[in-house]
Amino acid sequence: MAPDRRLRPATQSDVAREVGVSRTLVSFAFRGAPGVSGETKEAIFEAARRLGYRPNAVAADLARKHRSAVGLYLMDIRNEVYADILSGVRMALPQDGNRLILSVSRSVDGVDGGALESLIEARVGIIIAATLLDPDERVLELAQIVPLVSVTRPVAGVDSVYSDDVAGARAATEHLLSLGHRRVAHLAGPIYDGHIARRQSYEKTMRDAGLKPQTLAADDFTQEAGQRAATLLLTQAERPTAIFTHNDQLALGAREAAYGLGLAIPGDLSLVGYDNSRTAKLHGIDLTSVDLHAIALGQAAGTIALERLNDPEAPVADKRLTPELVVRDSTAPPAP
Amino acid sequence: MAPDRRLRPATQSDVAREVGVSRTLVSFAFRGAPGVSGETKEAIFEAARRLGYRPNAVAADLARKHRSAVGLYLMDIRNEVYADILSGVRMALPQDGNRLILSVSRSVDGVDGGALESLIEARVGIIIAATLLDPDERVLELAQIVPLVSVTRPVAGVDSVYSDDVAGARAATEHLLSLGHRRVAHLAGPIYDGHIARRQSYEKTMRDAGLKPQTLAADDFTQEAGQRAATLLLTQAERPTAIFTHNDQLALGAREAAYGLGLAIPGDLSLVGYDNSRTAKLHGIDLTSVDLHAIALGQAAGTIALERLNDPEAPVADKRLTPELVVRDSTAPPAP
DNA sequence: ATGAAAGCGCTAACAC
DNA sequence: GTGTTAGCGCTTTCAT
């Protein structure tokens, strides 16, 4: 039967007392610091095991006046992109050493739950945030409180890792235009200052082609919101022959809306998403989508976070990756 | 310009000095403890705001010898079920008060990253774990180190909240049998002691009907693993006319495998998943699936966690919810 | 209503 | 190689 650690977890003092040495040695032993004889070390580990001692990383950070935990903020746990970013971040962090504390904003009910706040209170040393929706000034303020790496969105003066949304949205829009579409609509996410590059790039591309952009903002980033908004878009007098959406979830919603109205894809409506999620690849879905290389994004963010942790004075990082349009069967020339 | 808190975040002492009172009063004020005059309180909050003081929840926990953070372990961030559980847990936790620290096991690459371990090191007061794959004894050991609530899986002697997998798997299997299928296969997840109720229930249901069960374990819980395993299943001499899978991701993989082999669903193959995920509901996917009410599961777990935190001596909770089979177009009678 | 002092589990000089 | 001591930011008796 294991010792009952529930009442009072063993501490370094307990281990020290058990072995008959000072707390310092126990501390040194556990951190692999030099200056502990092999024998003592053995004895310490032995006693620690027996007592069920586990280092208290939190107290250690407090004493060290140095926060080793990295906080990862994810905007939307239901979006695969964020799972990929998490994966990437993990790859970049050393196996042990840095603890990773997660915090997600909206999960299904749109409840924020003070996700960022909880990271700050947990006293992480740095926050990797994907995706921040706040205005730039607010992000800068946050970065003042705790070092921040902004992922998927560039913020001047703050370490940023992102995909070139301008290029991605342009590629998507041009793909539709090159197929012969003229009434190409854009289904945007909710309006947030920091998240409008795709929309702007779409609108510019349309105007450059001499066409009138039509953007509709959904009230959320979810499939349901996409369905609601797309229904509006598709029941207009002159409905668009193609829709480019801010993300795949919105595209899937638009897809449901189209089928609900009896429209075929790509026969009556071409559809381009953004994220290149796993669902987009399914047989029968075959959604044309822009891949933003989320795993690479996460990896870069993790690396930058580590550097920032080690050197607060390092120059601000600004890393931009190039997205890639993946063409599938949801896009085709418009019906004649 | 905001004060630069990066160099040294303001502490209670700073605030106390600023106001000209003792640290104790600042502490009292921030916790709403009685015994601080209205005026002093005002002055303290004012100074705190000016200095950009933020309470250090971690240090507070240390001093209080009481851990207020609740840790949430999620097995698979790419599975919607876990996003729903997170939502439910959040609903149950009071807005402020308890910090929620997340930790996920496999994200995309199967890297564990010591997810549970990191929760323990973060010194959470209780861990809500969904889904633990370890054998019962190991779970009991863990629960010794820190109170644990097991979600989606019952463990004797440990607070548990789960869905009735036996009933769910039976309903799924019986549905296929009632359609007239006789060669019904089961695509299970990787073999873990704690996660075999669905498989066992399927096998029992088959035998009770006088049929021979055929179970194949995928090497992961992912769509890719499902596709690999299902390809094996479907290229046998006598291929099954129906497959019941451990979860929706495996079902989606089986779906890809079927299409890859030129088989129609449900014409040549009936398919039943588990989770009733959003993808299952998509037009063109229409996957028959078992809903385990993940949000309710999370809510119950959160409630139980709070109770356990307040009363370590409370009787062990065992809460079982009833799942529900949702029939869609992926199931039909077998071809004659 | 307010403050002094001890202590939470740990690290980090600095002695010996 | 080992021990002493003074914190880290906070809570909590116990005085005043």
Side-chain angles (χ1 to χ4, degrees), chain A residues 90-254:
Chain A
R90 274 225 188 115
M91 295 177 190
L93 299 186
Q95 295 300 52
D96 55 334
N98 305 75
R99 283 165 296 141
L100 182 63
I101 296 184
L102 239 61
S103 192
V104 335
S105 178
R106 80 190 58 213
S107 41
V108 52
D109 45 10
V111 173
D112 181 299
L116 265 174
E117 206 58 29
S118 91
L119 246 26
I120 296 176
E121 286 194 1
R123 281 320 199 251
V124 297
I126 191 162
I127 293 180
I128 300 178
T131 304
L132 251 22
L133 256 19
D134 314 69
D136 282 19
E137 311 82 61
R138 174 78 187 120
V139 176
L140 274 165
E141 258 181 56
L142 275 170
Q144 208 83 359
I145 299 175
V146 49
L148 194 78
V149 180
S150 171
V151 186
T152 76
R153 165 178 170 202
V155 177
V158 174
D159 291 324
S160 303
V161 191
Y162 54 99
S163 176
D164 187 343
D165 276 3
V166 172
R170 192 194 317 120
T173 310
E174 282 177 347
H175 167 61
L176 291 168
L177 294 180
S178 75
L179 285 172
H181 289 275
R182 287 303 168 257
R183 289 199 304 281
V184 178
H186 176 55
L187 191 48
I191 302 169
Y192 290 107
D193 276 4
H195 217 48
I196 50 175
R198 293 178 198 172
R199 165 213 295 247
Q200 287 179 330
S201 174
Y202 149 81
E203 292 178 351
K204 177 169 189 322
T205 306
M206 287 293 280
R207 274 193 286 265
D208 286 354
L211 297 170
K212 193 165 148 287
Q214 183 188 11
T215 301
L216 180 63
D219 53 28
D220 201 344
F221 291 101
T222 63
Q223 181 186 316
E224 288 75 12
Q227 182 163 358
R228 281 192 297 273
T231 301
L232 256 45
L233 229 35
L234 294 173
T235 49
Q236 299 173 113
E238 281 248 294
R239 64 168 174 75
T241 62
I243 299 181
F244 162 50
T245 67
H246 178 84
N247 71 18
D248 277 1
Q249 307 199 83
L250 291 172
L252 293 173

Side-chain angles (χ1 to χ4, degrees), chain A residues 53-71:
Chain A
Y53 165 76
R54 314 185 66 94
N56 184 335
V58 160
D61 261 20
L62 183 59
R64 210 181 298 125
K65 312 155 80 137
H66 165 264
R67 358 223 78 133
S68 68
V70 356

Side-chain angles (χ1 to χ4, degrees), chain A residues 54 87 90 104 108 117 143, chain B residues 6 54 87 90 104 108 117:
Chain A
R54 314 185 66 94
S87 274
R90 274 225 188 115
V104 335
V108 52
E117 206 58 29
Chain B
R6 286 281 277 283
R54 314 185 66 96
S87 274
R90 270 216 190 129
V104 336
V108 52
E117 206 58 30

